[in-house]
Amino acid sequence: TSYLLPPTSYLLPPTSSCNRMDPETALFDGVDFQTYVERETRSPVGTFLRHCTTFAVGSLTGQVILRGLNTLKVENHQRFIDMLLERKAETVEQVSHDGQNIVITEVPFEAVDADIKKKGFITVCNHMSTLDDPSIPGAIVPFPYYFSSNYTRWVTCAKDVCFRNKLIAEFLRTGMTLPIDRKGGKQQPVIDLLHHLSQTGKWVHLFPEGRVCNKEPLGKLKWGVGRLIGGDFWVRPDGTPVEKESPALVLPFTFRGMEKVLPLKTYIPRIGNTVNLRFDKPLDFSPLVHHFNKRLEAEVEAAKRDNKGKSEDAMCQVYLSISTKLSDELHTAITSVLQTKLEESKAKLYLPRSEEGQGSSPAITAA
């Protein structure tokens, strides 16, 4: 089972630092993790009706409204299809750290760790309309795969907006939509759940801006996306760092035009508009995670030398402080990379072809 730790105090009884570092005792919304996963991902109406729901909604919004009544132009669509059907790509961009800067290197897919190929994947994109989901996921999944919920994304929707009515909440859960508290912080259990789904073969879709932002500049990304992708570091009470699993591949894409299909504060989709969508190359964050794993090992060993004679509970607090600090740094690094990638990709949608590829963020080195 994939856990994101160290958990915050509301996940575990505030007994001792050592207890807070044991994933087997963690409580997620009052229950153990496996029970929480089963409860949150079950279909209220059964698997068959879930298939019917995802097909009907995806077909109506994606195939009828977006492709039928409007025009959808997709660039590099094969990158998504390869990831959805076979978890493969021609090349990926590996994100690593040289000790000073984040480095992005394009490598053949064969260079990716073998275990990553067995996981799910995560798509991230900008958010320009309340119709973005489910219309875009419904439009980019090829026929006949949208007949099956096995090829449907898991996504979140604001709890205070979408889950106030019980009937609508059950419909959304059937359609593989999970409630998220936009003010709940990055440690809320649904982040753990989405990470788990990405680690166990599912497609997870994120709107990392956390809100509709239909202006040309990209909104600031939420910090929780870094935790969802990269997970947390944690150390056993005996001072043994636990090696993290490699994160799932991340496929960024951006689009423009949805703000015309369904403008804000309107409820009836418009027709005759063009939506342009562009897939980028998949991102592999496993080298970056490996870099922070090495730092964790080194800092834990230094803490053992500098704190000889302290009680077990005191040392657990030291380990918890180290793992929390490095987790936060990893989340910040992942979020900054995605912010840059999505900003550059979105800018290209507004540029003539001849100007594409000009300019890059000075904080990231392309190798």
Side-chain angles (χ1 to χ4, degrees):
T1 301
S2 300
Y3 296 95
L4 298 187
L5 292 176
T8 50
S9 57
Y10 76 87
L11 296 182
L12 288 172
T15 50
S16 74
S17 299
C18 292
N19 283 344
R20 291 182 64 202
M21 299 166 68
D22 183 0
E24 298 302 328
T25 64
L27 298 179
F28 295 79
D29 201 19
V31 297
D32 66 89
F33 186 67
Q34 192 57 43
T35 301
Y36 173 71
V37 171
E38 293 173 358
R39 185 188 73 190
E40 294 298 307
T41 59
R42 71 171 181 84
S43 170
V45 294
T47 302
F48 175 73
L49 288 180
R50 168 168 278 177
H51 287 312
C52 295
T53 301
T54 56
F55 164 69
V57 174
S59 298
L60 174 63
T61 60
Q63 301 300 320
V64 176
I65 295 177
L66 200 51
R67 286 191 177 273
L69 301 177
N70 293 276
T71 301
L72 176 66
K73 296 181 178 179
V74 183
E75 184 178 349
N76 302 322
H77 195 189
Q78 193 61 42
R79 290 174 179 170
F80 170 76
I81 295 174
D82 288 344
M83 193 63 62
L84 177 71
L85 302 184
E86 301 183 58
R87 303 294 191 269
K88 71 174 187 179
E90 290 185 4
T91 61
V92 300
E93 293 187 326
Q94 285 193 327
V95 183
S96 59
H97 202 291
D98 64 3
Q100 293 183 323
N101 296 311
I102 295 173
V103 179
I104 298 178
T105 308
E106 186 174 346
V107 300
F109 184 68
E110 290 71 23
V112 174
D113 291 343
D115 64 328
I116 293 183
K117 304 171 186 177
K118 303 174 184 177
K119 301 179 185 294
F121 71 107
I122 301 169
T123 50
V124 295
C125 71
N126 55 315
H127 199 3
M128 304 197 76
S129 164
T130 55
L131 192 62
D132 292 348
D133 186 274
S135 64
I136 287 180
I140 60 178
V141 173
F143 179 87
Y145 297 100
Y146 54 78
F147 281 100
S148 172
S149 62
N150 295 328
Y151 297 97
T152 302
R153 86 291 172 265
W154 284 95
V155 72
T156 61
C157 189
K159 183 187 296 185
D160 60 318
V161 176
C162 304
F163 286 80
R164 292 180 296 179
N165 179 285
K166 185 176 181 181
L167 182 61
I168 294 176
E170 294 296 273
F171 173 75
L172 290 172
R173 287 185 181 278
T174 301
M176 301 168 66
T177 302
L178 301 171
I180 190 167
D181 184 352
R182 290 185 290 185
K183 297 181 180 179
K186 67 171 185 171
Q187 296 291 149
Q188 55 187 300
V190 69
I191 303 295
D192 299 76
L193 173 56
L194 291 167
H195 176 81
H196 171 78
L197 291 172
S198 74
Q199 292 284 315
T200 52
K202 307 302 182 184
W203 168 23
V204 173
H205 181 65
L206 306 176
F207 292 104
E209 294 166 287
R211 61 185 178 86
V212 173
C213 184
N214 58 14
K215 304 297 183 183
E216 184 173 332
L218 189 75
K220 184 177 180 181
L221 304 193
K222 297 292 185 180
W223 202 16
V225 68
R227 180 173 185 258
L228 192 157
I229 294 169
D232 285 333
F233 297 104
W234 62 285
V235 183
R236 293 191 178 93
D238 64 0
T240 305
V242 176
E243 186 173 353
K244 281 174 46 57
E245 293 184 352
S246 300
L249 292 173
V250 178
L251 182 64
F253 68 90
T254 50
F255 57 87
R256 60 178 295 192
M258 285 300 299
E259 73 280 10
K260 297 178 181 178
V261 176
L262 189 68
L264 286 176
K265 300 181 180 180
T266 62
Y267 302 97
I268 300 177
R270 308 293 197 260
I271 65 174
N273 296 287
T274 298
V275 176
N276 294 282
L277 187 150
R278 182 179 189 276
F279 284 101
D280 288 306
K281 294 173 183 175
L283 294 169
D284 175 17
F285 286 99
S286 56
L288 184 67
V289 171
H290 179 72
H291 165 79
F292 280 96
N293 260 327
K294 292 297 184 183
R295 282 188 54 190
L296 177 67
E297 294 172 1
E299 293 195 23
V300 167
E301 288 303 315
K304 289 178 181 178
R305 294 193 301 268
D306 297 340
N307 294 277
K308 288 183 178 180
K310 284 191 174 182
S311 67
E312 183 183 71
D313 191 60
M315 288 305 298
C316 283
Q317 185 59 48
V318 171
Y319 300 147
L320 187 61
S321 177
I322 293 171
S323 58
T324 300
K325 179 194 71 172
L326 291 178
S327 295
D328 288 345
E329 290 185 20
L330 174 65
H331 305 160
T332 301
I334 291 174
T335 304
S336 69
V337 170
L338 289 177
Q339 183 86 43
T340 300
K341 283 292 182 181
L342 289 174
E343 285 176 351
E344 292 178 349
S345 179
K346 189 174 181 181
K348 290 176 182 178
L349 291 174
Y350 291 86
L351 289 175
R353 283 281 186 185
S354 59
E355 297 182 47
E356 287 193 12
Q358 297 181 11
S360 60
S361 169
I364 298 177
T365 303

